[in-house]
Amino acid sequence: MERQNCFKLYNEEERSQLEQLAADYRKFLTDCKTERESVREVVRQAEAAGYRNMEDLMQNGGEQLQPGAKLYTVCMGKAVALFRLGEQPLSAGLNILGAHVDSPRLDIKQNPLFEAGELAFLDTHYYGGIKKYQWVTLPLALHGVVVKKDGQTVDIVIGEDADDPVFCVTDLLIHLAQEQLEKKGARVVEGEALNLLVGNAALADIDAADKSDEQKKAAKQAVKANILRLLEEKYGLQEEDFISAELEVVPAGAARESGLDRSMILAYGQDDSACAYPSLRAMLEVENSQRCACCLLVDKEEIGSVGATGMQSRFFENAVAELLNLTGEFSELNLRRLLQRSRMLSSDVSSAYDPAYASAFEKNNVAYLSHGLVFNKFTGARGKSGSNDANAEYLGWLRQVMDAAGVHYQTAELGKVDLGGGGTIAYILALYGMEVIDSGVPVLSMHAPWEVTSKADIYEAYKGYKAFLMA
Ligand code: MN
Ligand code: MN
């Protein structure tokens, strides 16, 4: 059961492949901080690799798809499914890699802009599980879309270019924090206190005699008025446009190499880009597979896989029905067979052992950084509750596949029994009666603004995912 630090085992060629993959992964992390940005980049790379939009084929119809045909379909710009047809009919089942492209963050509210103490703020509602105290006094960026009443979409990214301004949430100075520091960790910073500081300059004063009612009102809230003026000037936006906006506050700045040995990556959003990116790479490199390969990247995992773009939506089922139709195989029975005979790796991050918090983990059943791809037979909490518990038969088969491909892997649970727990999208696909297991990359400081992974684990995940898709 001993597992080794993978860096010990690599030859020069593997080491150079690993570094190349890590560099590409860092670029993806830097460019893709939201589900929309991730899906856009996945489509760009897929099209460059010869993938075609299923929608186009559905409209044209009549084309005989051959093994090796590459198709993708997007759901509302936030989820995407890629398919590469194998030699066998679709009803033989798919090999599916599923990961998520949403990450914990702060979302801007629908009526967010206010002024207090001559400071302008955007009010937020956090998304996913965060330790709120981690999100203060960091440089933050604003990513997302504003959809105007006429349907025009304005893309927003502020805080990523070196000459962009950044934002922050303030914190109380230590000198006056005696009472604050006596609070429980969950309440040290309250959710409602997570307001993004966006301005302090008052709009230039206008002579009182000349003021219209509107201007007098603006003069009282001169800092907010100035922000509104800027939004209008730079983006053509009115305050009401926040109603139809999705603006996400994320840590500003690029993904970085970490450690004197540069063995690790420190970046925002590695839950779950650490699995989504290796999944994409594996998918784009599949050749000559017997079964149809599928890479599924979904939204809303961090808030329970809800909504039209989350895994609980029928998006995936509808997509495979369309796929069956395109290959001339569609029947209700073939759809059910396809789903039931599929196999899935639910690719999501696992907790990495952290010696600073050793008591949270059970040393023999936790993932270690640089010990390779993780398989979690089950997740859940309090007696595996809410978990997909993978079958021993499936694990037996996977061991064979991984060993044949020289993939270094480990098995793990999140932490000690009864300390807490978590879930993934695994149980949702398992509802179809297919074989599903959780597998992914170990992460230190999971759900923190900056998370740590090992380049070796990203590399092993990529190798393992590719072997799985082609098995
Ligand atoms: Mn996750
Ligand atoms: Mn998560």
Side-chain angles (χ1 to χ4, degrees):
M1 301 300 272
E2 280 293 307
R3 293 291 188 267
Q4 294 194 69
N5 186 307
C6 291
F7 284 101
K8 241 189 232 179
L9 310 169
Y10 292 141
N11 60 32
E12 226 163 275
E13 195 198 328
E14 288 169 313
R15 200 50 203 256
S16 109
Q17 284 177 4
L18 166 152
E19 291 295 346
Q20 185 56 56
L21 180 71
D24 295 342
Y25 171 51
R26 273 194 296 130
K27 183 162 178 7
F28 182 86
L29 286 167
T30 301
D31 295 345
C32 306
K33 293 191 177 180
T34 69
E35 55 282 1
R36 286 175 191 269
E37 289 165 355
S38 300
V39 167
R40 203 178 305 155
E41 175 61 14
V42 168
V43 167
R44 192 190 65 78
Q45 291 198 26
E47 285 184 344
Y51 278 77
R52 292 182 294 163
N53 193 341
M54 255 169 69
E55 295 288 329
D56 297 339
L57 274 86
M58 281 151 58
Q59 267 154 35
N60 300 338
E63 180 180 348
Q64 192 61 48
L65 291 172
Q66 300 297 322
K70 300 171 184 174
L71 306 168
Y72 73 85
T73 183
V74 171
C75 180
M76 297 173 180
K78 298 177 184 177
V80 60
L82 276 62
F83 301 96
R84 186 192 176 283
L85 298 187
E87 298 293 332
Q88 295 175 4
L90 284 168
S91 55
L94 275 51
N95 287 359
I96 304 166
L97 285 175
H100 66 94
V101 287
D102 61 316
S103 299
R105 60 186 189 244
L106 310 180
D107 282 346
I108 299 295
K109 288 184 180 179
Q110 260 38 67
N111 181 12
L113 183 61
F114 69 96
E115 176 175 335
E118 291 187 33
L119 301 168
F121 297 96
L122 290 175
D123 202 348
T124 68
H125 192 142
Y126 63 96
Y127 173 97
I130 62 167
K131 288 178 165 178
K132 281 157 269 191
Y133 64 77
Q134 292 177 335
W135 288 75
V136 295
T137 70
L138 291 169
L140 298 170
L142 205 51
H143 291 233
V145 295
V146 184
V147 182
K148 304 219 289 191
K149 219 159 56 167
D150 64 5
Q152 187 203 339
T153 300
V154 181
D155 282 300
I156 305 273
V157 181
I158 308 169
E160 299 295 352
D161 282 344
D163 53 351
D164 273 3
V166 292
F167 312 98
C168 76
V169 175
T170 58
D171 194 10
L172 184 60
L173 61 164
I174 181 71
H175 315 70
L176 299 178
Q178 223 168 302
E179 283 178 9
Q180 182 197 31
L181 292 180
E182 274 162 22
K183 292 183 186 170
K184 284 189 171 174
R187 315 217 72 159
V188 168
V189 174
E190 306 260 1
E192 209 50 78
L194 294 173
N195 300 321
L196 195 69
L197 179 59
V198 296
N200 176 225
L203 194 62
D205 213 0
I206 303 159
D207 193 328
D210 301 338
K211 274 180 188 163
S212 66
D213 283 354
E214 189 81 338
Q215 285 167 329
K216 276 181 203 153
K217 213 172 118 200
K220 275 193 209 152
Q221 299 256 299
V223 177
K224 176 178 169 180
N226 192 44
I227 294 295
L228 286 171
R229 181 188 62 83
L230 283 168
L231 287 174
E232 161 90 65
E233 265 177 33
K234 292 199 188 262
Y235 304 99
L237 297 178
Q238 307 296 317
E239 188 172 11
E240 284 223 338
D241 290 328
F242 279 116
I243 289 174
S244 45
E246 284 179 347
L247 294 170
E248 305 178 7
V249 181
V250 296
R256 305 289 295 267
E257 289 183 299
S258 182
L260 277 174
D261 57 9
R262 297 175 181 263
S263 59
M264 297 166 284
I265 291 170
L266 180 67
Y268 167 72
Q270 299 205 72
D271 177 3
D272 190 27
S273 289
C275 299
Y277 185 73
S279 296
L280 171 67
R281 282 292 289 259
M283 182 71 192
L284 297 183
E285 291 177 20
V286 169
E287 286 166 357
N288 308 323
S289 68
Q290 284 300 303
R291 287 155 66 99
C292 174
C294 170
C295 174
L296 185 55
L297 302 174
V298 294
D299 181 29
K300 298 285 186 277
E301 192 277 340
E302 296 295 357
I303 59 168
S305 297
V306 292
T309 54
M311 193 64 243
Q312 294 195 51
S313 127
R314 296 286 175 268
F315 158 67
F316 174 68
E317 191 176 326
N318 293 345
V320 291
E322 292 289 356
L323 192 63
L324 281 165
N325 193 43
L326 284 171
T327 57
E329 290 174 72
F330 181 80
S331 72
E332 183 62 24
L333 186 62
N334 275 346
L335 174 62
R336 297 298 136 201
R337 281 178 175 163
L338 176 158
L339 291 166
Q340 181 156 357
R341 290 169 181 170
S342 289
R343 312 175 181 119
M344 185 201 195
L345 294 186
S346 169
S347 303
D348 209 338
V349 291
S350 201
S351 54
Y353 177 73
D354 185 342
Y357 302 96
S359 66
F361 305 100
E362 192 266 285
K363 284 200 175 78
N364 292 332
N365 290 282
V366 63
Y368 289 84
L369 222 56
S370 297
H371 279 200
L373 176 62
V374 185
F375 288 104
N376 305 86
K377 187 175 181 297
F378 52 86
T379 58
R382 296 172 305 279
K384 301 187 176 182
S385 192
S387 155
N388 165 68
D389 199 348
N391 291 310
E393 289 83 351
Y394 188 38
L395 267 159
W397 177 79
L398 279 166
R399 286 171 61 198
Q400 197 181 6
V401 172
M402 294 301 136
D403 285 345
V407 177
H408 303 298
Y409 69 89
Q410 50 185 326
T411 59
E413 298 183 28
L414 201 62
K416 268 190 184 161
V417 175
D418 282 343
L419 265 196
T424 65
I425 62 173
Y427 73 97
I428 304 164
L429 274 289
L431 292 171
Y432 293 115
M434 70 175 76
E435 296 277 18
V436 181
I437 187 167
D438 280 294
S439 95
V441 172
V443 173
L444 284 169
S445 316
M446 192 193 293
H447 281 209
W450 296 88
E451 301 169 310
V452 182
T453 60
S454 151
K455 290 178 180 176
D457 298 326
I458 303 292
Y459 180 56
E460 294 304 323
Y462 152 76
K463 281 166 55 186
Y465 292 167
K466 195 168 161 183
F468 166 78
L469 286 178
M470 292 172 66

